[in-house]
Amino acid sequence: MAYQTFRQEYLQVPPVTRAYTTACVLTTAAVQLELITPFQLYFNPELIFKHFQIWRLITNYLFFGPVGFNFLFNMIFLYRYCRMLEEGSFRGRTADFVFMFLFGGLLMTLFGLFVNLVFLGQAFTIMLVYVWSRRNPYVRMNFFGLLIFQAPFLPWVLMGFSLLLGNSIIVDLLGIAVGHIYFFLEDVFPNQPGGGRLLRTPSVLKAIFDTAEDDPNYNPLPEERPGGFAWGEGQRLGG
C-alpha cells in the first residue's frame, strides 16, 4: 500500500523535475555505496577536452556532496523550485523548460572554466530559485521564521545563509548571474523598445517534449507556498 502511494506521488511529479532530482539522488546513493567516487564525477576541463571524459559535463551537476544537512537542504530547494517552475510559468511548455536547463547548463559550464568549482549543481539550483523569484515578485517569504521579505530577495538571502555557514559564495553568485542572464533575455529584453526574443527553443526539442496533451484535471502545486518548510512558506502580499 505504501509502495503504491509513493509510486503514485512520484509519477505525479512533472517529468523534468522527476528526472533531474532522481538522477541527483541516485548519483549520491551510488557514491555512498562506493559504487563510484566523486573523482569520477567532478568538473575537470582537462579530463573533459583532452581525455574525452564527456560525462563530467553532466555528472558535475548531479552530485551535491555526502548525505547530510547540506545535501538535504539543496535537494529540498532543487525539488521545490524546479517543480514550481515546471508547473507554473513552464506549464505545458516542457521543451522550453528543457531548453532553459540546456542554456543555463551551457552558460554555467563556460563560466566554470574560469572559476575554481568542481561541482555546479548548487549553482544550478540557485539559478532555478532566481528565475522563479523574479517571475513571482509579490510572493512574501518567511525564512526560518527570522526574516520576512519578497521573493526576489530569496537568492540573496540564501547567499547570506551560505556565508554564515562558512561556504564560498562564488557558487551562489554564479547561479544568480546565469539566472539573471536567462531572465533578462527571456522576460525583459523582448519587452524593451527595439528588443526581441534572442532565445528560441529548437524545434527538435519541441518535437520530442511537447507531444503529450496537457491534463486539464491535474492540480499543480500552488506557487503561494514556496520553499516547502518554514523558511519558504509565503503568501502573496495583500492576501
Side-chain angles (χ1 to χ4, degrees):
M1 186 68 177
Y3 168 76
Q4 292 295 334
T5 301
F6 173 78
R7 183 175 181 274
Q8 183 178 8
E9 291 294 326
Y10 178 74
L11 292 177
Q12 283 187 351
V13 178
V16 177
T17 302
R18 182 170 67 236
Y20 186 37
T21 53
T22 299
C24 293
V25 171
L26 291 179
T27 300
T28 300
V31 172
Q32 289 293 115
L33 295 173
E34 298 183 351
L35 300 176
I36 56 177
T37 71
F39 296 105
Q40 297 171 290
L41 308 174
Y42 76 99
F43 181 73
N44 185 314
E46 182 176 353
L47 293 178
I48 293 171
F49 299 112
K50 291 186 178 180
H51 297 272
F52 305 106
Q53 297 183 10
I54 306 299
W55 67 83
R56 294 179 183 271
L57 291 171
I58 299 175
T59 57
N60 81 91
Y61 288 98
L62 303 180
F63 184 65
F64 288 78
V67 175
F69 174 78
N70 190 61
F71 170 77
L72 295 176
F73 189 83
N74 277 287
M75 284 297 98
I76 290 170
F77 270 81
L78 170 62
Y79 168 78
R80 186 65 181 177
Y81 289 94
C82 188
R83 180 170 183 173
M84 286 199 297
L85 275 175
E86 191 170 1
E87 293 182 337
S89 58
F90 287 97
R91 178 72 174 160
R93 299 192 299 127
T94 302
D96 293 337
F97 195 46
V98 172
F99 180 66
M100 188 193 79
F101 265 59
L102 296 176
F103 175 80
L106 175 62
L107 203 58
M108 209 166 287
T109 298
L110 292 176
F111 287 157
L113 297 173
F114 304 99
V115 295
N116 188 26
L117 293 175
V118 294
F119 290 103
L120 298 173
Q122 185 176 337
F124 195 83
T125 299
I126 295 296
M127 180 197 77
L128 296 174
V129 171
Y130 184 90
V131 173
W132 177 88
S133 70
R134 293 302 300 268
R135 288 184 170 179
N136 296 270
Y138 302 111
V139 175
R140 187 167 53 190
M141 313 297 294
N142 183 350
F143 192 79
F144 286 115
L146 300 176
L147 295 174
I148 296 177
F149 51 89
Q150 288 177 251
F153 292 101
L154 179 59
W156 304 100
V157 171
L158 293 178
M159 186 177 72
F161 186 64
S162 295
L163 190 62
L164 288 176
L165 293 178
N167 299 326
S168 171
I169 62 172
I170 298 299
V171 172
D172 302 84
L173 289 174
L174 177 59
I176 289 172
V178 174
H180 182 73
I181 291 172
Y182 176 83
F183 176 76
F184 177 81
L185 294 177
E186 182 70 12
D187 293 44
V188 178
F189 186 68
N191 298 315
Q192 299 297 312
R197 295 187 62 85
L198 299 179
L199 299 181
R200 296 186 181 275
T201 302
S203 57
V204 63
L205 291 181
K206 290 184 176 293
I208 295 173
F209 294 103
D210 286 352
T211 55
E213 292 292 329
D214 199 28
D215 182 5
N217 297 318
Y218 187 76
N219 186 26
L221 292 178
E223 291 194 350
E224 287 77 17
R225 295 187 289 104
F229 288 93
W231 58 74
E233 291 293 340
Q235 64 184 47
R236 294 193 180 278
L237 292 178

